[in-house]
């Protein structure tokens, strides 16, 4: 599986793709394909977050856990689903907070590609999943890879806003240098926890306030 990522990411990740955990992971994914089991998202979209959001353009990071495991949902960006796919409950709650916070009308599509192309890195901790089996590729090596990506941002950039929704993202975000970056935390947008601190967090407007205070352009949160 040849990674399709931005050259800036290739430069900072260096030899990460040749580390033992990544070689083992690649062999596992190839075996899943050859056995007919497959995985989500499609191989060409596994690294889409690092393809659409160049390293030097990252202004905001949203950390997710692993891809959607339903057929046709996962597209390589955390929380995002393809055009025409029913919007999952967590994303519905994200859109509700978006509307309440900055007045953006809830879009008919759950495709967050416009955010990715505007500097919002939508990165899952685990980049693949078996069909119908949530969390099935955890512990296979993806966590080390995405930790490296987060660490490179933390050490190589300044003033990035990290949005850590839920305990899992907050634990992963512990490696972020708080002296160099902005970190906003809230409950996960899942229906089970959104009312416990995600609704009302105002992370979209707070993100733009932080970026503008640093003299950087705000994020255009509008979606088609």
């Amino acid at each position: 599986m040849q990674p399709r990522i931005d050259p800036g990411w290739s430069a900072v990740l260096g030899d990460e793709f040749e580390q033992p955990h990544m070689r083992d992971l690649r062999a596992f994914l190839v075996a899943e394909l050859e056995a007919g089991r497959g995985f989500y998202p499609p191989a060409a979209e596994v690294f889409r977050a690092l393809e659409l959001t160049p390293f030097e353009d990252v202004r905001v990071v949203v950390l997710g856990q692993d891809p959607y495991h339903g057929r046709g949902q996962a597209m390589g960006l955390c929380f995002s689903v393809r055009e025409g796919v029913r919007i999952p409950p967590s994303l519905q709650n994200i859109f509700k907070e978006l509307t309440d916070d900055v007045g953006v009308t809830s879009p008919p599509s759950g495709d967050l590609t416009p955010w990715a192309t505007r500097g919002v890195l939508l990165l899952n901790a685990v980049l693949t999943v078996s069909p119908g089996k949530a969390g099935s590729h955890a512990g296979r090596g993806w966590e080390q890879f995405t930790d490296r990506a987060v660490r490179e941002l933390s050490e190589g950039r300044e003033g990035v806003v990290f949005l850590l929704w839920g305990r899992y993202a907050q634990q992963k975000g512990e490696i972020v240098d708080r002296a160099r970056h902005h970190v906003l935390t809230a409950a996960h947008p899942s229906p089970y926890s959104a009312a416990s601190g995600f609704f009302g967090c105002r992370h979209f407007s707070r993100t733009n306030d932080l970026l503008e205070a640093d003299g950087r352009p705000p994020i255009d949160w509008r979606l088609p």
Side-chain angles (χ1 to χ4, degrees):
M1 183 173 56
Q2 183 65 32
R4 295 169 48 183
I5 66 174
D6 167 72
W9 279 111
S10 293
V12 298
L13 291 175
D15 63 350
E16 184 67 19
F17 288 99
E18 299 309 316
Q19 295 301 312
H21 62 270
M22 291 301 288
R23 291 201 300 268
D24 291 345
L25 178 56
R26 186 161 49 242
F28 164 72
L29 294 176
V30 169
E32 290 294 282
L33 290 174
E34 291 177 346
R37 290 184 290 269
F39 53 83
Y40 299 144
E45 298 178 350
V46 168
F47 297 99
R48 199 169 184 214
L50 303 182
E51 178 185 1
L52 294 181
T53 313
F55 179 80
E56 290 298 331
D57 292 347
V58 175
R59 287 183 282 161
V60 180
V61 177
V62 177
L63 291 179
Q65 191 161 349
D66 69 336
Y68 295 117
H69 58 274
R71 182 178 178 86
Q73 290 181 304
M75 54 179 294
L77 305 174
C78 73
F79 293 108
S80 183
V81 292
R82 301 176 190 281
E83 180 91 23
V85 173
R86 183 178 180 182
I87 299 175
S90 290
L91 185 53
Q92 290 180 25
N93 287 337
I94 290 171
F95 287 163
K96 181 181 185 303
E97 178 61 22
L98 181 68
T99 299
D100 292 345
D101 184 13
V102 295
V104 169
T105 302
S106 186
S109 169
D111 186 350
L112 303 181
T113 297
W115 287 0
T117 59
R118 296 170 192 158
V120 181
L121 180 67
L122 300 167
L123 184 67
N124 276 316
V126 176
L127 300 188
T128 56
V129 68
S130 295
K133 298 179 180 179
S136 51
H137 291 189
R140 289 281 182 177
W142 281 128
E143 293 90 345
Q144 295 98 307
F145 174 80
T146 53
D147 276 353
R148 170 75 181 272
V150 172
R151 188 174 295 109
E152 291 295 339
L153 279 173
S154 178
E155 297 176 359
R157 297 287 312 284
E158 291 188 8
V160 174
V161 182
F162 287 81
L163 305 183
L164 307 181
W165 299 336
R167 185 178 305 169
Y168 184 93
Q170 290 160 21
Q171 290 175 340
K172 192 172 185 67
E174 289 176 357
I175 61 179
V176 176
D177 185 345
R178 266 66 169 175
R180 294 170 63 92
H181 302 282
H182 309 289
V183 177
L184 300 179
T185 62
H188 193 276
S190 161
Y192 300 105
S193 56
S196 300
F198 180 76
F199 291 143
C201 69
R202 302 187 67 245
H203 277 188
F204 302 102
S205 62
R206 291 175 65 190
T207 291
N208 282 349
D209 289 345
L210 291 167
L211 291 172
E212 291 183 300
D214 287 345
R216 306 177 71 189
I219 299 296
D220 179 0
W221 294 111
R222 293 173 296 177
L223 291 165

